[in-house]
């Protein structure tokens, strides 16, 4: 039996299960039953797209066994005219909770499950059908025009994954569950890529610890954010590059871009790799263009169906202007160079405090390794793929900033963590002299034994 492998597998499983359980406990606590950070936009957009696709969600308040339902009026005049009659009907059916919205024309009720269908039937018989529509599920955040918001300034794969959790039940922990799963799989991909490059269990564990403990990954996994899913697909892209699966990695970077356009920032590494190793024009185009395009377009089909391909395409083209424009003096804005020193963490929630903080040791380590990379490359050539993905991504964030997209935030750095963790694991394993630690450990043990013997002699006297 290979005891090192057994020990590695046990530690690997304990870290992944432990970190997942820890974050699940945070994400599911009662204090986080509302919207956390940008969940306001992404969850609402997901709910609205599902409604347009005819998918009926559900939410049950287990304390009262009541179903959540949003009654959304078609305009303000209908809201003024019919909200009171709607509330009277809800009272007839023993509504256990009512939430009045102030910034858009709607009202939310929780109706005992057995009364929900009779309530909706009476609503349809007493209120004109052109005055309202029904969106079952969780309550909305009270934001202007949120009932129509679709978040088309970003591609749709991240929302697709959030929607999978919502279909199970439209409640906060289910919105966040896909991100928590992505967090766990990122760790697996980091370990696989690191071991493939280094053939070292120690290097793999170092990389695993950096990814499992990273505060940016943890924060974006706890909230239903897009960035944890971008990091997942970038980790997949990087791992497939390391395993020399170029066309699969092309598809993976398409998926990363379909989550958020910054997911494509590692594409130059794929281009260079394909240019060097593809032997035909067709193979080259398949790797750098066709497979990435398929990976990008497929996850956007639900949005295309919901709003129409033409509108989706117009919104997609228009999003480039949005991404390359300043959003004003946001107090939490943090340009890409500040991520390296955790200059300004983005607050997603207070009490409990959830901040998208970066790890300066990890990111500054990537700066330091620039000077050691030729030596590292000679010893472990595979390290160049994650190193290239990291710096290509930083470089394109810098270009975005120079072109006018100056409003950047610390949670954008989530995408940098998987390649940085792999490089850190491989590099530390190569650069540090582990004999120093082993010999020091034996020295400490000898010193402790010597002290123990001296204490015994004195006590004996």
């Amino acid at each position: 039996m290979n005891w090192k492998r057994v020990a590695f597998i046990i530690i690997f499983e304990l870290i992944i299960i432990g970190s997942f359980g820890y974050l699940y406990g945070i994400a599911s606590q009662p204090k986080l039953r509302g919207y956390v950070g940008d969940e306001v936009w992404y969850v609402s957009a997901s709910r609205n797209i599902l409604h347009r696709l005819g998918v009926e969600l559900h939410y049950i308040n287990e304390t009262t066994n009541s179903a959540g339902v949003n009654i959304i009026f078609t305009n303000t005049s209908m809201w003024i005219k019919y909200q009171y009659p709607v509330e009277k009907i809800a009272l007839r059916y023993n509504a256990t909770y009512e939430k009045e919205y102030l910034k858009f024309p709607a009202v939310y009720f929780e109706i005992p499950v057995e009364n929900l269908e009779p309530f909706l039937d009476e609503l349809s018989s007493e209120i004109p059908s052109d005055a309202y529509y029904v969106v079952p599920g969780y309550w909305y955040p009270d934001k202007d025009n949120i009932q129509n918001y679709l978040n088309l300034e970003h591609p749709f794969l991240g929302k697709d994954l959030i929607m999978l959790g919502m279909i199970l039940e439209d409640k906060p922990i289910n919105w966040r569950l896909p991100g928590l799963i992505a967090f766990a799989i990122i760790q697996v991909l980091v370990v696989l890529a690191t071991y493939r490059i280094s053939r070292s269990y120690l290097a793999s564990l170092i990389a695993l610890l950096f990814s499992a403990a990273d505060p940016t990954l943890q924060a974006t996994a706890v909230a239903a954010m897009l960035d944890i899913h971008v990091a997942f697909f970038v980790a997949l892209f990087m791992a497939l590059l390391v395993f020399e699966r170029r066309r699969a990695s092309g598809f993976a970077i398409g998926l990363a871009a379909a989550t958020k356009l910054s997911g494509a920032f590692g594409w130059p590494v794929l281009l260079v790799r394909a240019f060097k190793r593809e032997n035909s024009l067709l193979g080259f185009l398949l790797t750098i263009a066709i497979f990435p395009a398929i990976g990008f377009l497929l996850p956007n089909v639900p949005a295309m169906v919901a709003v129409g391909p033409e509108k989706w395409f117009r919104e997609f083209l228009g999003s480039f202007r949005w991404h390359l424009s300043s959003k004003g003096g946001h107090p939490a804005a943090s340009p890409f160079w500040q991520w390296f020193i955790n200059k300004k963490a983005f607050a997603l929630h207070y009490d409990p405090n959830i901040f998208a903080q970066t790890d300066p040791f990890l990111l500054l380590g990537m700066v330091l390794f620039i000077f050691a990379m030729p030596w590292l490359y000679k010893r472990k050539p595979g390290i160049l793929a994650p190193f290239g993905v990291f710096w290509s991504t930083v470089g394109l964030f810098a270009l975005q900033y120079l072109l006018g997209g100056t409003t950047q935030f610390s949670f954008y750095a989530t995408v940098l963590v998987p390649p940085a963790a792999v490089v850190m694991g491989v590099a530390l394993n190569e650069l540090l002299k582990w004999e120093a630690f082993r010999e020091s450990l034996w020295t400490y043990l000898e010193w402790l034994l010597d002290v123990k013997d001296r204490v015994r002699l004195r006590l004996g006297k």
Side-chain angles (χ1 to χ4, degrees):
M1 180 182 292
N2 188 331
W3 69 268
K4 288 184 179 179
R5 177 178 296 177
V6 172
F8 170 75
I9 291 172
I10 291 171
I11 296 170
F12 170 74
E13 291 178 346
L14 287 174
I15 290 174
I16 290 183
I17 294 170
S19 60
F20 178 87
Y22 169 71
L23 292 185
Y24 185 91
I26 293 174
S28 60
Q29 60 183 292
K31 287 185 177 181
L32 294 184
R33 290 195 65 193
Y35 290 83
V36 174
D38 282 358
E39 287 182 345
V40 166
W41 314 115
Y42 304 139
V43 172
S44 300
S46 300
R47 187 179 296 116
N48 292 336
I49 286 286
L50 286 170
H51 175 73
R52 290 190 179 211
L53 294 174
V55 178
E56 191 169 286
L57 299 175
H58 71 282
Y59 163 67
I60 306 297
N61 184 328
E62 295 177 357
T63 304
T64 59
N65 195 35
S66 298
V69 60
N70 293 279
I71 309 302
I72 300 178
F73 300 97
T74 51
N75 54 51
T76 303
S77 62
M78 294 295 185
W79 183 24
I80 295 169
K81 185 176 181 179
Y82 289 110
Q83 180 172 341
Y84 180 64
V86 168
E87 289 173 335
K88 285 176 65 178
I89 296 170
L91 287 174
R92 283 182 221 156
Y93 288 92
N94 302 319
T96 59
Y97 178 74
E98 176 184 350
K99 178 181 177 66
E100 293 187 46
Y101 300 110
L102 301 177
K103 296 184 178 180
F104 69 104
V107 62
Y108 169 81
F109 299 107
E110 290 179 5
I111 307 288
V113 171
E114 65 275 11
N115 294 346
L116 180 61
E117 287 303 321
F119 165 71
L120 295 176
D121 290 341
E122 184 162 342
L123 207 63
S124 64
S125 66
E126 294 194 20
I127 308 297
S129 60
D130 62 349
Y132 75 101
Y133 62 92
V134 176
V135 179
Y138 206 72
W139 49 270
Y140 280 87
D142 197 4
K143 300 288 183 181
D144 289 330
N145 202 38
I146 198 69
Q147 79 279 18
N148 296 316
Y149 180 66
L150 301 177
N151 193 237
L152 293 178
E153 60 268 29
H154 290 303
F156 227 77
L157 181 51
K159 274 90 71 180
D160 290 333
L161 296 172
I162 292 170
M163 287 191 293
L164 291 177
M166 296 176 77
I167 288 170
L168 296 174
E169 187 178 349
D170 185 6
K171 61 181 181 180
I173 187 57
N174 286 15
W175 313 334
R176 299 161 190 159
L177 187 59
L180 294 170
I181 293 170
F183 172 78
I185 300 175
I186 285 169
Q187 295 176 63
V188 175
L189 292 169
V190 163
V191 165
L192 291 174
T194 307
Y195 188 78
R196 176 75 173 190
I197 295 167
S198 66
R199 299 294 178 183
S200 165
Y201 293 131
L202 181 57
S204 302
L205 286 176
I206 293 170
L208 174 61
L209 288 170
F210 273 104
S211 57
D214 186 80
T216 331
L217 279 183
Q218 289 186 356
T220 54
V222 165
M225 300 280 283
L226 299 185
D227 300 85
I228 188 66
H229 300 296
V230 187
F232 164 68
F233 287 113
V234 167
L236 179 62
F237 164 67
M238 172 197 65
L240 289 168
L241 274 182
V242 168
F243 279 84
E244 296 291 344
R245 301 290 190 267
R246 287 186 297 281
R247 289 173 194 171
S249 67
F251 183 74
I253 202 168
L255 295 175
T259 311
K260 209 172 183 182
L261 290 178
S262 57
F265 285 1
W267 182 81
V269 178
L270 179 65
L271 176 65
V272 171
R273 186 69 63 93
F275 183 77
K276 287 183 176 180
R277 301 188 184 181
E278 291 291 350
N279 298 318
S280 67
L281 178 60
L282 177 60
F284 180 74
L285 292 175
L286 283 169
T287 299
I288 69 158
I290 296 174
F291 278 100
I294 294 170
F296 177 77
L297 290 172
L298 281 178
N300 281 289
V301 168
M304 294 181 199
V305 173
V307 303
E310 185 180 348
K311 181 178 180 181
W312 174 84
F313 187 64
R314 285 200 314 270
E315 294 282 350
F316 171 66
L317 291 179
S319 71
F320 285 90
R321 180 180 297 176
W322 184 84
H323 289 302
L324 296 177
S325 65
S326 174
K327 313 304 183 298
H330 196 290
S334 177
F336 68 94
W337 63 84
Q338 293 185 358
W339 306 342
F340 288 84
I341 55 172
N342 192 31
K343 176 72 173 179
K344 194 176 292 183
F346 190 94
L348 296 173
H349 194 273
Y350 293 99
D351 188 30
N353 293 336
I354 301 173
F355 296 92
Q357 304 177 79
T358 55
D359 180 354
F361 184 83
L362 179 66
L363 299 186
L364 288 174
M366 294 298 290
V367 178
L368 179 64
F369 294 148
I370 292 173
F371 303 100
M373 190 48 57
W375 184 85
L376 287 167
Y377 173 71
K378 289 176 185 177
R379 295 176 65 86
K380 301 294 177 184
I383 197 174
L384 203 57
F387 186 78
V389 171
F390 179 93
W391 283 109
S392 173
T393 302
V394 172
L396 285 170
F397 272 123
L399 180 61
Q400 178 196 22
Y401 188 90
L402 292 173
L403 292 176
T406 55
T407 309
Q408 298 174 329
F409 300 102
S410 62
F411 59 83
Y412 289 7
T414 310
V415 71
L416 299 175
V417 175
V422 172
V423 172
M424 184 66 78
V426 176
L428 288 183
N429 190 54
E430 292 296 320
L431 293 170
L432 293 180
K433 299 297 183 183
W434 295 105
E435 294 83 358
F437 293 92
R438 284 196 294 268
E439 290 183 15
S440 296
L441 178 61
W442 283 113
T443 301
Y444 282 127
L445 289 172
E446 289 171 0
W447 178 78
L448 287 171
L449 290 172
D450 183 55
V451 169
K452 187 177 179 181
D453 289 341
R454 290 183 181 182
V455 169
R456 281 180 177 175
L457 286 171
R458 289 187 178 183
L459 291 174
K461 289 181 180 180

